[in-house]
Amino acid sequence: MQKKFLSEALKLAHEAALNDEVPVGAVIVHNGVVIASGRNTREKNQNPLGHAEMSAIENASKVLGTWRLIDCDLYVTLEPCPMCLSACQQARIRKVIYGAKDEKGGAICLGYHLHSDDKLNHRFEVIYEPEETCSQVLKDFFIKKRSKKANSI
């Protein structure tokens, strides 16, 4: 089941890439059904909060009519940054599943284990589900970006 939802998030990551955004996509699942989605929109909206996870959380809250997403799981193509992992904590997400590690910006890789911090009022499970296509879409995007930049010099 996890692969199915990561595949849905990956479609959104590809859409982001087509719009010259870092290719990250996210879906929120409630009772086995995707109820909300999001993809990166930082460049389009010139907004540092335009992360896929933030958009998916906002959309899920609208769908359910509550900010408490206690029975919801977030599937995202890239490891959440500290801001997004904090948003999951604030939204009371039940579980986060991600397909690619982010060694330079991912909360878990950087050691920010907000999901399991006993000092916080909500803890949740975080699962790394390695999915090569999640990593590859990012690699391809940045290779293309660097190639364009080199050709413009």
Side-chain angles (χ1 to χ4, degrees), residues 10 19 25 27 32-34 41 47 53 84 90 107 109-110 118 125 127 138 143 146 150 152:
L10 191 56
N19 288 288
V27 297
V33 176
V34 173
T41 59
N47 182 343
E53 301 94 325
C84 290
Q90 289 296 313
C109 284
L110 294 173
D118 288 337
E125 188 175 3
I127 300 169
L138 287 155
I143 287 169
R146 285 190 290 276
S152 69

Side-chain angles (χ1 to χ4, degrees), residues 36-136:
S37 63
R39 60 179 175 82
N40 276 3
T41 59
R42 284 193 309 180
E43 297 301 327
K44 175 185 174 192
N45 297 331
Q46 291 299 296
N47 182 343
L49 305 179
H51 290 210
E53 301 94 325
M54 301 296 277
S55 177
I57 289 168
E58 183 177 2
N59 292 335
S61 295
K62 288 176 184 172
V63 167
L64 295 177
T66 181
W67 61 268
R68 291 179 181 90
L69 305 179
I70 56 173
D71 294 323
C72 295
D73 301 328
L74 171 74
Y75 291 80
V76 62
T77 56
L78 183 64
E79 176 183 347
C81 71
M83 173 183 71
C84 290
L85 201 62
S86 291
C88 290
Q89 194 274 336
Q90 289 296 313
R92 311 301 193 259
I93 292 285
R94 177 175 55 190
K95 187 185 321 181
V96 173
I97 301 94
Y98 64 96
K101 288 187 177 190
D102 184 353
E103 302 288 339
K104 295 180 181 177
I108 307 304
C109 284
L110 294 173
Y112 298 108
H113 299 274
L114 300 164
H115 64 288
S116 61
D117 190 331
D118 288 337
K119 293 177 279 211
L120 298 173
N121 62 337
H122 176 70
R123 284 165 295 289
F124 53 99
E125 188 175 3
V126 173
I127 300 169
Y128 171 48
E129 182 71 36
E131 181 60 53
E132 181 56 34
T133 49
C134 292
S135 298
Q136 194 61 51

